Amino acid sequence: MDLRRTRYLLGALLSWGASACHGTDGPASPCEGADCAVPGLTRAFEQGTPSSVVRPRTGFGGLKVRRASGRTFVLETTRDAEGRDTRRLTVSARDGTPLWRFDAAAGEFLSDFTVHPSGEITLGVERTGATAEAFDLVRLSVEGQVLSRQPLPAPATLPGSDLGGTLPSPAFRMKSPWVHALTDGWLRTEARGEDVAVAFLSLVAVPEGGPDTQELASGLMTLQWTDGRYREQWTRVVDGRHSTQPAAWAYDEFRWREAALRPLLAVDAEGQLVVGRTWNSSRCMASSRTFNDFTSVHCRSGEDVTSPVDTERQPFAVTAFTPVGTRIGTHVFVPTRTAEFVVFDMAVRGGEVALAGTVVTEDAEGTIAWYPSAPGMQDRMTPYDGYLGVWSLDSGALRFEHRVDTGRADHFSALRWTDAGLVAVGASGWDRWYGGMSISRGAGALLALASADGQTVRTQRPGPTGQDRHFHLLGVDADGDSLVAVGLAEAPMTHSGDGGHLEAMTFGGLGVELR
């Protein structure tokens, strides 16, 4: 029996012996009574049976979901057999009854949305045909009416010190490098009450008459909603001029390609803002030149720094800002004994940041526990585990981490921080050959709940399992004692579109509820 399967079986036996409740990873308290009666989401994971709904190809798949005020909001995408993709925001009642939707017009890319306490929505839109000033903010009423649409303003409050002598003024072209059907996009939105915070990744502005550039810079802007318009409060550079790009050969079934570039944004209850992103030597040097966060020597040789085109091992950095825009500092994180590591989502609460992604672990001798695709096979598959970790924004100290192993490859693509703990969703059961990035076996959906103290991780594997296609989840939200997740059904694998077979690159939608 190979090392990975031995480790999996031993972990399962230890988990079963520690608790009468099934589906846990790590120590758990014994249940009280035969029915394991516990409140909220914990009870749903222990006793609930997830329900799933599959939309056939070429239907809309879900990218992000939020529940608020008894309604469910989903950002959806589709791709037809000719390779054309489009997006929409749908809103439904708790029982699934459709209420209204906002469809992207031709030449529009819906990047992200956030729901305000009033029930109104801010939607981030990019006009893909524009060469500059392409980002728009759309404010929608509770009933879906457009209250305002305006370009994200050119920053007027950016401190000169943020330019660092390397960025022009204006610094940002307000235009993304590229987008595709599954990309979240480079414009991230988070509500601050009825106001909004926006993190963005932009091409660097080109002086009039100057040469074009594909270099990037990222920023953070807060805007106040007043008199039916958004007005800039403050703007800061997050990372100055850099050249981050995904490797050309990276696959994108689970958003590996965009993970290298994508900014993540969170706002905690006290108003502190946190921007997260993959860290590399180019972004490190930009931070070193402008903010003196790191030395140039560290940016070239530090263990927590990687190449700007690295796809497999991507250290993760977060930079925190006060509610009025003061830059607090940057922390970089990569787990110990890590051959590969990618973060796909983050959440912030109580001075801590939680990360969700995937990891390939080395033992003390640097050995990786490859596993065969089937008993008796001599091939070697890469042992990805779903990764969950929580660490301090102040010190960077790790409070807990879990590597979730359900037997084959696993990863988490979306995360929410709830009173019951961390809820994460993604994919499990797929195979990737150790010698390349191609996936050879399809995925099934994965749900997980990590307890608030980090002692227990409960998992569920709902819906269809993949063999020749993928079924996986890309968005999650939780509301009291229930969970809703969205993703893709019958999604393509690495080489599905080889030979120009665009119809094989279509997908359907996957919806999961657990209560």
Side-chain angles (χ1 to χ4, degrees):
M1 184 178 292
D2 65 280
L3 291 174
R4 180 172 171 83
R5 294 191 181 280
T6 301
R7 176 164 62 92
Y8 173 69
L9 290 173
L10 179 59
L13 288 171
L14 289 173
S15 177
W16 178 83
S19 172
C21 294
H22 67 278
T24 64
D25 178 26
S29 301
C31 295
E32 297 293 336
D35 62 353
C36 297
V38 286
L41 278 175
T42 304
R43 180 173 185 173
F45 269 84
E46 293 290 2
Q47 296 184 341
T49 300
S51 60
S52 61
V53 176
V54 172
R55 290 179 182 166
R57 297 157 58 188
T58 54
F60 277 85
L63 300 174
K64 176 178 178 177
V65 60
R66 290 292 181 262
R67 271 196 169 154
S69 304
R71 298 181 297 163
T72 302
F73 306 79
V74 184
L75 180 61
E76 297 183 324
T77 186
T78 189
R79 181 165 49 199
D80 66 21
E82 303 300 322
R84 297 181 295 259
D85 58 83
T86 189
R87 293 190 168 202
R88 66 188 188 186
L89 176 70
T90 65
V91 182
S92 59
R94 186 63 180 266
D95 62 3
T97 303
L99 298 176
W100 56 267
R101 76 182 196 216
F102 182 94
D103 294 282
E108 289 183 346
F109 182 89
L110 308 188
S111 185
D112 193 23
F113 74 93
T114 189
V115 184
H116 299 278
S118 63
E120 295 178 357
I121 301 102
T122 297
L123 184 63
V125 181
E126 180 170 356
R127 289 171 280 109
T128 56
T131 60
E133 310 303 325
F135 299 144
D136 285 354
L137 294 180
V138 179
R139 182 84 172 206
L140 300 172
S141 72
V142 175
E143 296 80 20
Q145 299 169 329
V146 176
L147 301 176
S148 170
R149 178 166 185 159
Q150 63 187 95
L152 192 67
T157 63
L158 190 65
S161 57
D162 276 18
L163 301 179
T166 64
L167 282 172
S169 181
F172 306 108
R173 200 190 305 181
M174 297 300 190
K175 167 68 178 176
S176 293
W178 50 266
V179 292
H180 60 82
L182 299 185
T183 304
D184 264 357
W186 316 127
L187 184 65
R188 314 296 297 165
T189 59
E190 282 292 335
R192 303 176 79 207
E194 295 305 309
D195 302 332
V196 72
V198 177
F200 53 89
L201 179 71
S202 168
L203 294 166
V204 171
V206 179
E208 187 174 350
D212 197 5
T213 176
Q214 291 298 305
E215 291 183 305
L216 304 169
S218 55
L220 173 65
M221 178 184 291
T222 64
L223 301 105
Q224 184 179 22
W225 176 247
T226 179
D227 298 327
R229 288 186 56 80
Y230 280 119
R231 304 182 188 278
E232 178 189 3
Q233 294 175 304
W234 54 262
T235 303
R236 297 297 307 265
V237 170
V238 179
D239 292 317
R241 185 190 296 261
H242 61 88
S243 56
T244 300
Q245 291 293 336
W249 43 260
Y251 61 89
D252 66 359
E253 286 108 321
F254 305 134
R255 294 180 165 173
W256 242 270
R257 281 186 58 82
E258 75 164 30
L261 285 84
R262 178 180 61 184
L264 299 174
L265 174 63
V267 180
D268 70 12
E270 289 71 42
Q272 182 173 246
L273 301 98
V274 180
V275 180
R277 67 279 190 207
T278 288
W279 196 241
N280 56 52
S281 58
S282 183
R283 282 176 167 165
C284 185
M285 287 298 294
S287 181
S288 173
R289 289 190 299 264
T290 306
F291 304 108
N292 297 313
D293 287 340
F294 306 90
T295 67
S296 59
V297 172
H298 178 85
C299 293
R300 289 191 294 266
S301 59
E303 292 185 359
D304 58 359
V305 182
T306 190
S307 160
V309 294
D310 197 328
T311 298
E312 298 177 351
R313 189 177 187 273
Q314 301 183 12
F316 192 73
V318 296
T319 302
F321 297 84
T322 69
V324 295
T326 303
R327 188 184 182 100
I328 298 173
T330 299
H331 286 297
V332 183
F333 177 75
V334 61
T336 59
R337 298 181 292 111
T338 298
E340 298 187 31
F341 177 61
V342 182
V343 170
F344 294 103
D345 201 6
M346 74 172 192
V348 174
R349 177 182 276 199
E352 294 183 319
V353 60
L355 305 180
T358 193
V359 65
V360 177
T361 303
E362 299 174 332
D363 66 16
E365 286 72 41
T367 301
I368 295 173
W370 314 106
Y371 67 98
S373 60
M377 296 291 290
Q378 298 303 308
D379 54 5
R380 299 197 298 178
M381 299 294 120
T382 304
Y384 285 101
D385 293 333
Y387 184 84
L388 296 172
V390 174
W391 48 290
S392 169
L393 279 170
D394 292 330
S395 66
L398 184 69
R399 179 160 69 87
F400 74 80
E401 66 177 11
H402 280 279
R403 290 165 165 85
V404 176
D405 174 11
T406 68
R408 289 181 181 270
D410 304 286
H411 83 273
F412 294 117
S413 56
L415 179 72
R416 294 291 278 170
W417 207 324
T418 74
D419 291 340
L422 299 175
V423 175
V425 300
S428 66
W430 44 283
D431 284 341
R432 198 209 94 193
W433 178 53
Y434 82 102
M437 294 295 285
S438 297
I439 291 178
S440 58
R441 184 180 191 273
L446 177 63
L447 311 177
L449 173 66
S451 60
D453 60 9
Q455 295 300 303
T456 306
V457 176
R458 297 168 170 85
T459 60
Q460 293 264 12
R461 299 173 66 180
T465 57
Q467 290 291 330
D468 299 324
R469 308 285 289 187
H470 288 303
F471 296 82
H472 61 105
L473 297 170
L474 293 168
V476 65
D477 202 6
D479 183 7
D481 59 357
S482 67
L483 170 154
V484 59
V486 297
L488 307 184
E490 273 211 272
M493 288 170 54
T494 309
H495 298 289
S496 295
D498 287 1
H501 298 295
L502 293 179
E503 70 280 0
M505 298 301 290
T506 61
F507 48 80
L510 176 63
V512 173
E513 290 213 36
L514 178 64
R515 61 178 68 237

